[in-house]
Amino acid sequence: MRYSLRCFECKEEIEDQRAYTCENCGGLLEVVLDLSSVEAERVFDERSPSVWKYKELLPVDREPITLQEGGTPLYRCRSLEERLGINELYVKHEGMNPTGSFKDRGMTVGVTKALEFQAKGVICASTGNTSASLAVYASRASLPAYVLLPSGKVALGKIAQALMHGAKVICIKGNFDDSLRIVREISKNPDFYLLNSINPFRLEGQKTIAFEIYDQMKGIPDAVVVPVGNAGNISAIFKGFLELRELGVIEEVPRMIGVQAEGASPIADAFEKRETEIEPVERPETIATAIRIGSPVNAKKALNAIYRSKGYALKVSDDEITEAQKDLARVEGIGVEPASASSLAGLKKALEIGVVERDEKVVCVTTGHLLKDPEEVLVVCGTPLEVEADVRAVLRAMELEN
Ligand SMILES: *Cc1c(COP(=O)(O)O)cnc(C)c1O
Ligand SMILES: [Zn+2]
């Protein structure tokens, strides 16, 4: 695949393939593919979806470091359709990736690029899932991994993964935004390749969510609802749809609807004022730790995706998030972590305010698996009953439980 790197803001072409930002203007970078020789019918054929099914649309020239990521289920949710009063609702469950979040789609590409660039190690800041995914792919690539986490604010399952897969895990007395500032400084040393979503190659892997939605639906929905933290994923999915349009596979792109938590909503706030830049939130706070980010690096790309697709950005409360999490779990059997449930919570709100019409076809992306954050479950569901080990005590407990 022929491709180049370009500044997303000043549109300057970037020579240094390992750059993270534009040296002229400091802007974000994006990968621009030459799609002229791609035969879309050959790529979007009957094979089952996966990240590497779309290798002709990925900027990688060597054997990838892979754990068969992607190919996640797209569930039709008829019970929730009825409950919400919407015509067609699908959940794209990214929690079904190898490490339990969509981050794997980006990491398979990002860690492969790290080898291509002969980096000696990989590094990231993380609210948890990026660190888990980086640890796993780095171990498969035999590269040392270093991860910075905000102390006390990372779900247990994610730390467990990073530790077991051998990353050097460092918790800092600060939040995610502080962690990212520090790793960006450290990664000026070329020995360490930075794999946060400021890295343009990571987003290339994540755009395959759009390709899979198209492949699985044999078409596109009216809207795609995405939880937004550092804002890479919504930008990546939009890019995927743009490329499908450039290939002539689709005519229009779906509306991109970004959802944030009330305590960490710089993008939804900027959208409310129809601005293209955010005002960072100083002390972001939410039960959805994966989107507890006050200063999203990809804000400009995300707002561009939202405006260009005629989409929307909104925020939901922690209560609305946990209610949606329970709905997904109990009505559809789909277990997701809190941040992921913000997409369904956002859809409910979008329906209420008329941003999504009831006769539309919508995909909610659920970004991470329930088992990532078992401690939150005990907080919102309570701990299990404990009774004496006899039949009568259990029967009594069963009645109490109705
Ligand atoms: C990383 C992550 C997000 C946020 O994605 P961004 O690309 O940072 O906007 C949302 N949910 C989960 C579960 C995540 O791991
Ligand atoms: Zn620039």
Side-chain angles (χ1 to χ4, degrees):
M1 165 49 70
R2 278 205 311 261
Y3 70 91
S4 56
L5 265 188
R6 188 175 69 183
C7 175
F8 178 73
E9 284 161 57
C10 75
K11 308 294 175 194
E12 194 76 19
E13 183 154 341
I14 309 293
E15 290 299 324
D16 176 8
Q17 296 295 298
R18 277 198 58 166
Y20 309 109
T21 50
C22 171
E23 51 183 32
N24 302 322
C25 77
L28 298 164
L29 305 186
E30 68 175 345
V31 175
V32 181
L33 303 181
D34 174 6
L35 297 177
S36 58
S37 59
V38 176
E39 286 174 51
E41 310 81 64
R42 229 191 37 240
V43 179
F44 296 94
D45 61 8
E46 291 306 310
R47 289 169 300 155
S48 51
S50 73
V51 168
W52 295 103
K53 174 179 176 181
Y54 313 106
K55 64 174 187 291
E56 287 180 63
L57 298 168
L58 294 171
V60 172
D61 298 317
R62 56 167 289 151
E63 260 320 285
I65 300 298
T66 175
L67 286 156
Q68 299 178 19
E69 44 293 312
T72 56
L74 182 78
Y75 299 121
R76 177 87 188 255
C77 293
R78 294 190 190 268
S79 303
L80 281 176
E81 281 169 8
E82 207 159 298
R83 208 176 251 232
L84 268 60
I86 184 170
N87 197 34
E88 256 183 86
L89 171 61
Y90 299 84
V91 165
K92 179 74 171 152
H93 192 12
E94 287 297 296
M96 302 295 274
N97 273 296
T99 79
S101 85
F102 73 82
K103 300 298 198 298
D104 298 345
R105 294 181 187 268
M107 279 315 163
T108 181
V109 174
V111 170
T112 302
K113 293 307 272 190
L115 288 182
E116 203 180 299
F117 297 146
Q118 296 176 330
K120 297 201 174 66
V122 286
I123 189 167
C124 73
S126 178
T127 58
N129 281 330
T130 300
S131 72
S133 190
L134 185 69
V136 166
Y137 285 85
S139 65
R140 207 157 164 85
S142 303
L143 279 173
Y146 306 88
V147 307
L148 253 69
L149 307 173
S151 187
K153 294 292 180 181
V154 178
L156 191 57
K158 306 174 188 182
I159 295 192
Q161 289 176 295
L163 289 170
M164 180 50 89
H165 290 285
K168 181 85 186 171
V169 179
I170 303 160
C171 293
I172 65 148
K173 296 173 182 163
N175 61 27
F176 170 83
D177 304 286
D178 299 318
S179 311
L180 185 57
R181 179 174 44 80
I182 294 167
V183 294
R184 285 182 72 169
E185 190 62 38
I186 293 172
S187 61
K188 285 180 182 159
N189 176 342
D191 284 351
F192 303 105
Y193 191 52
L194 178 63
L195 279 166
N196 280 100
S197 58
I198 194 167
N199 183 309
F201 295 106
R202 235 193 71 184
L203 300 190
E204 289 300 295
Q206 289 170 211
K207 77 184 178 188
T208 58
I209 293 176
F211 299 162
E212 290 191 8
I213 289 174
Y214 167 76
D215 241 348
Q216 290 169 314
M217 294 181 78
K218 309 264 179 273
I220 54 156
D222 297 297
V224 179
V225 189
V226 188
V228 173
N230 220 11
N233 208 31
I234 191 170
S235 312
I237 297 171
F238 177 64
K239 185 174 192 281
F241 284 120
L242 286 183
E243 288 175 3
L244 285 175
R245 192 175 66 180
E246 192 181 334
L247 285 165
V249 170
I250 59 174
E251 276 165 25
E252 273 185 86
V253 299
R255 311 201 298 285
M256 302 301 302
I257 300 179
V259 187
Q260 297 199 291
E262 271 177 6
S265 61
I267 290 179
D269 295 341
F271 178 81
E272 216 165 272
K273 295 179 241 149
R274 299 299 186 271
E275 277 167 7
T276 52
E277 290 197 30
I278 57 148
E279 196 135 337
V281 171
E282 284 298 328
R283 281 180 202 77
E285 208 46 85
T286 166
I287 195 167
T289 49
I291 52 173
R292 183 177 170 271
I293 294 176
S295 185
V297 284
N298 291 297
K300 281 192 181 150
K301 282 186 178 177
L303 284 164
N304 174 68
I306 290 164
Y307 293 127
R308 272 186 69 191
S309 70
K310 302 190 168 58
Y312 207 85
L314 41 74
K315 50 190 169 183
V316 292
S317 70
D318 281 3
D319 285 347
E320 288 165 332
I321 288 173
T322 50
E323 193 190 296
Q325 185 189 23
K326 285 182 179 170
D327 282 349
L328 281 163
R330 295 174 183 188
V331 179
E332 295 289 354
I334 302 172
V336 307
E337 66 164 291
S340 312
S342 66
S343 56
L344 182 67
L347 173 61
K348 281 189 194 174
K349 194 156 276 183
L351 282 163
E352 277 161 26
I353 61 179
V355 162
V356 170
E357 301 290 340
R358 299 196 179 272
D359 62 355
E360 289 193 300
K361 194 185 287 189
V362 176
V363 173
C364 284
V365 179
T366 55
T367 41
H369 199 278
L370 171 66
L371 292 175
K372 291 283 192 171
D373 196 349
E375 290 169 309
E376 180 263 353
V377 175
L378 297 182
V379 172
V380 302
C381 297
T383 45
L385 290 173
E386 188 176 307
V387 300
E388 292 304 321
D390 69 64
V391 171
R392 287 197 53 201
V394 172
L395 282 174
R396 226 176 301 135
M398 286 166 70
E399 269 166 19
L400 280 176
E401 285 263 278
N402 57 82

